[in-house]
Amino acid sequence: MTLLILGLILWSLAHFYKRLMPAHRAKLGDKGKGPIAIALIIALLLMIFGYRWAEFIPVWSPPAFFTHINNLLMLIALFVFGMSATTGRLRGKMRHPQLVAVKIWAIAHLMVNGDLASIILFGGMLVWAVASVILINRSEEWVRPEAGDAKKDKLLVIITVVSFVVITVIHALLGVSPFGG
């Protein structure tokens, strides 16, 4: 669990650095991107291995039907995440689509994972996403981008479904069945 918690802390600090110490970050310029990227990669590795190696400590038993809700929420999370990159009509409908997607992802995973390591990982990422939205909203004005072509939204739907299938296959290869069982 220690690696998992250290990973969450490093992930949060690396992301919050720009917001909490903007003058210091600005002094680093483009040279500061490398160390932050390295810190984020290390954080991801700590979280992945910390989660995989954590002892399974059951806290609660999710009902089986939550699996279906989780899968629906994951489709929504992928779609919302993709809204950050779309140039379609949906561009600009939401200020923080990636962070909203992380919140949906975290809640979906909290619904179907009742062990302590899952609660720490997904709960920690949920707290990070909420705090990130608050920090960003306090630190910068948002200029809503203009809506684009509706055809790009159709492409987003296709990319969402393909991404869901790929993620499902990866989960299955890791020994985790996204459909229960």
Side-chain angles (χ1 to χ4, degrees), residues 14 19 25 27-30 39 46 50-51 67-68 74 83 94 109 112-113 118 124 139 143 155-156 172 176:
R19 307 280 177 228
R25 174 61 187 95
K27 281 183 199 176
L28 296 175
D30 282 343
L46 287 170
Y51 181 73
T67 300
H68 305 297
M74 286 310 303
M83 285 174 58
M94 186 180 298
H109 281 76
V112 294
N113 294 287
S118 294
S139 68
V143 178
L155 179 61
L156 174 58
V176 179

Side-chain angles (χ1 to χ4, degrees), residues 1 51-60 62 113-118:
M1 298 273 186
Y51 181 73
R52 297 285 291 176
W53 295 341
E55 178 184 353
F56 184 83
I57 301 170
V59 176
W60 73 291
N113 294 287
D115 62 292
L116 185 59
S118 294

Side-chain angles (χ1 to χ4, degrees), residues 22-40:
H24 191 266
R25 174 61 187 95
K27 281 183 199 176
L28 296 175
D30 282 343
K31 288 188 259 180
K33 291 180 180 179
I36 296 296
I38 291 168
L40 291 170

Side-chain angles (χ1 to χ4, degrees), residues 74-147:
M74 286 310 303
L75 270 171
I76 294 168
L78 288 168
F79 183 82
V80 170
F81 190 88
M83 285 174 58
S84 67
T86 188
T87 55
R89 287 177 306 169
L90 296 174
R91 180 173 69 183
K93 294 293 184 188
M94 186 180 298
R95 181 168 182 183
H96 307 288
Q98 290 181 345
L99 291 169
V100 169
V102 170
K103 293 177 196 177
I104 296 167
W105 167 85
I107 290 167
H109 281 76
L110 284 168
M111 290 178 67
V112 294
N113 294 287
D115 62 292
L116 185 59
S118 294
I119 292 169
I120 291 170
L121 175 61
F122 302 119
M125 291 299 287
L126 179 59
V127 168
W128 164 76
V130 169
S132 292
V133 168
I134 292 167
L135 283 172
I136 293 168
N137 286 348
R138 288 184 179 171
S139 68
E140 62 188 52
E141 192 79 21
W142 184 46
V143 178
R144 185 181 301 272
E146 291 293 321

